[in-house]
Amino acid sequence: MANNKPLRRSRKQQSVDISEAQIAVHWREEGYFSPRAQFIAQANLTNKGVLKRFSLDKFPGYYEEFADLLDWYKRWKKTLDTSNPPFWRWFVGGEINACYNCVDRHLAKHKNKTAIHFVPETEHEAIQHVTYQELYVRVNEFAALLRDFCGLKAGDRVTLHMPMVAELPIAMLACARLGVIHSQVFSGFSGKACADRAVDSESRVLITMDAYYRAGSLLDHKEKADIAVAEAAKDGHKVDKVLIWQRYPGKYSSPTQLVAGRDFIVNDVLKQYRGKRLEPVRLPAEAPLFLMYTSGTTGRPKGCQHSIGGYLAYVTWTSKFIQDIHPEDVYWCMADIGWITGHSYIVYGPLALAASSVVYEGVPTHPDAGRPWRIAEDLDVNIFHTSPTAIRALRRAGPEEPAKYNHHFKHMTTVGEPIEPEVWKWYYKVVGKSKAVIVDTWWQTENGGFLCSTVPGIHKMKPGSAGPGIPGIHPVIYDDEGNELPAGSGKAGNICIRNPWPGGFQTIWKDPARFVTQYYSRYCKNPKSKNWRDWPYMAGDGAVQAADGYYRILGRIDDVINVAGHRLGTKEIESAALTVAEVAEAAVVPVADPIKGKVPDLYVSLKPGLQASKALADKVSGAVVFQIGPIARPRTVVIVPDMPKTRSGKIMRRVLAAISNHQDPGDVSTLANPEVVEKIKEAAK
Ligand code: WT7
C-alpha cells in the first residue's frame, strides 16, 4: 500500500541550518549579465526548443539525444530500465567502447590534431602536443601491456595514482579500451589513502609515476607506492605489480629503490609492445567504466561506480552544449584528473568531441600569478574551466595580471564551491575581459556531469547562482519534513533531482545498501515503489531557488567539508586523528577561509593523565597527512581538556565551530559540561 508520509529517519537528521537572514546578508540578488552576440552566433545550443523537448513529461526519451552523440557497436534496446529502483540501467542492450569514442573514431578526420597539450610546471620545459594519432598508438601499446604483461581483462579493477601528465589519460583510455575499471586516486593523496582505495577495489595492479613537479620541486612519488603496497598488505590485500611511468622517459627520477619482481618501469616494458594494436573490446553500455572514491559521512570513502554508456553520453552532451566545445576549440580545465571534474571535463567529454584538451602539471600560481594567462596565450586556449578557490588565489596574487596578456576566452566555467559575486565579477571582467560567458556548474562526484547551470547560448548569467537545472534535469527543494518548497520561493531547503539521468553513478562499489540509504531513502515516500517518480536523488546540499528559477547552492548539509573545492569527510579526518595512541576523542569543524572557502580545524582530547604539547599536536596533524594527504591537514589542532557534550554524551560540534569561526557559541547552559567552553576558547587562542 502506498504510504505518503516521508520515511522516518532513525539516524541524525541532516538539516539546512543556514538562516534566511544569513543568506540575505551575504548575497543579495544580483543583476543579470548577457552572453555576447558573437558567442551566441557560434554556440552549439541556442534554440530554446530544447527546454520544451526535455520537459519531465518527455522523460526518458530525450536522453536518446545524448547517446546519439556516440558511436555504438550495437544500438540499445531500452533507453531506461527502472525495474529495480534506485538502480537505474541506461541504454540497456547497447554495446559500446569509451576509448573508441574518444580516440579511434576521430582518426579519419583529426589524426594530426592535438588531443592533449601537456604543459609541464617548469616553464622552460617544452610543451608536449600529443596528436590523436599518437594518442591512438600510445593507448594501444599500453593496453597491450595491461592485457599481456599484467593479465588484465574486462571487469578487473586497477588503481592509478598518477600526477597530471599526458600518461594519465593514456592509462585511463587504455583501461577503457579493455573494459578494465580504472580507479584514479588524486596524486596529492597519501600512500595510505591510495592503499585504502586499492584494497576496497581489490586492485592487483597499481599504476604510478616516479616523480612530478609541484610548486617548483620535483616530488618523489614512487615512495607513496611503497607505502600503498605495504599498507594494503596489512589489510590482507596483495598488490602484485607496480607499473611506474618515468616523468622523463629513459631516466628514473625517484630516489626510492625498485622492488624486484614487483616494480616495473613502464617505458622499458613498453618496448615489447611497440606497434601493437588491439581492437577495442565491445562492452555492454552498463558495464562500469571507472570508480571514483569520494568522501561521505563515515570514516571510509565510497567508490562511486560510473557506467560506460550513460556516463559517456552525459559528459559528451554537457561538454558540447554547456561547455560549448567544438572540435576546433582549445579547452583548458585546470582541475586535477584525480577528481571527477578532470575525468569528465578534461578527459572523457572533450576527447569524445575531438577537442584539444590541456593537461597542466602544476600549481596555477607557479612561478607567478601570470602563468595561466601565459599558457592560455601560448596555446590559444578559448575555453577555460576552474574553481572559485583558484580564482580567488589568482586574484589575490595578481589582480592586474590577466590584463597584461593577450588571451581570448569565449567561455569560462566555475565549479566546485559557491562563488561570491565579487569574485565572479573579477573573473568576468578581468579574466574574461567582459567578453567570455561564464557558467557556474553545480554537480558532484556521484553525478558524472553537470546538474545545474545556465545554457550559455540561451540563458542570462547571474553572479552567485548556478542557474536552472540543465536541460533534462528537474530539481526540487524539500524542507526537513519532506514537504516540497514552492518553486521560486527563495526559501532554503535540501536540493534533490526528481528524475534519473544517464550520468548518475550506478552504485557504491560493494555497498549498494549505503547507495540507497545515503541518497534516496530520506525523500522516498514508498520504498516498494517501482516508479522512478518516487525516488528523488538527494544531493546533500542546501539550496534556494529564486523567482527566476535559478538555484543558488548554499553548501553541504552533512558532515562533509568542501576545502578548496575538494571534498573531505570530517569523519575521515577524525578517524585519522584517532590512530594516534594518545588521542581519546576528535572532532573536526569547518572554518571559513578567504581563499579556500572552508578549512578544517581539529579538536582533540587526550587520554587520562596526558599533557597537551606542541609535539603532540604536530603528531596528530602528521597522522592526518599520512592517512589522507596534505589537503586534509588541519588549520590548527586544538588540544582540549574535554569536548563540549550534551547530557547524552554527544560532542557538540556546533560549539566548536562557533569558537573556530569567532562566533558566539550561543546558549551552552544545557551542555553536560558548560564550564569547559571557556577552557576550549582559551586553548583555541
Ligand atoms: C560538492 C560536490 C563535481 C564538481 C567538483 C566537486 C559543491 C560543486 C558547486 C557550485 C556551489 C558547488 C557542493 C557539492 N559544489 N559545485 N557550482 N556551487 N557548490 O565535486 O567533490 O563531489 O563535491 O561540491 O557542495 O555537493 P565533489
Side-chain angles (χ1 to χ4, degrees), residues 107 569 644:
L107 296 180

Side-chain angles (χ1 to χ4, degrees), residues 190 192-193 572-583 602 604 615-630 632-634 637:
S190 66
K192 172 70 165 79
E572 274 171 65
I573 303 177
E574 291 166 7
S575 315
L578 290 168
T579 63
V580 175
E582 292 88 340
V583 173
L602 171 57
V604 293
L616 201 46
D618 289 347
K619 188 173 173 188
V620 174
S621 188
V624 173
V625 173
F626 177 80
Q627 295 283 333
I628 305 171
R633 192 195 307 272
V637 176

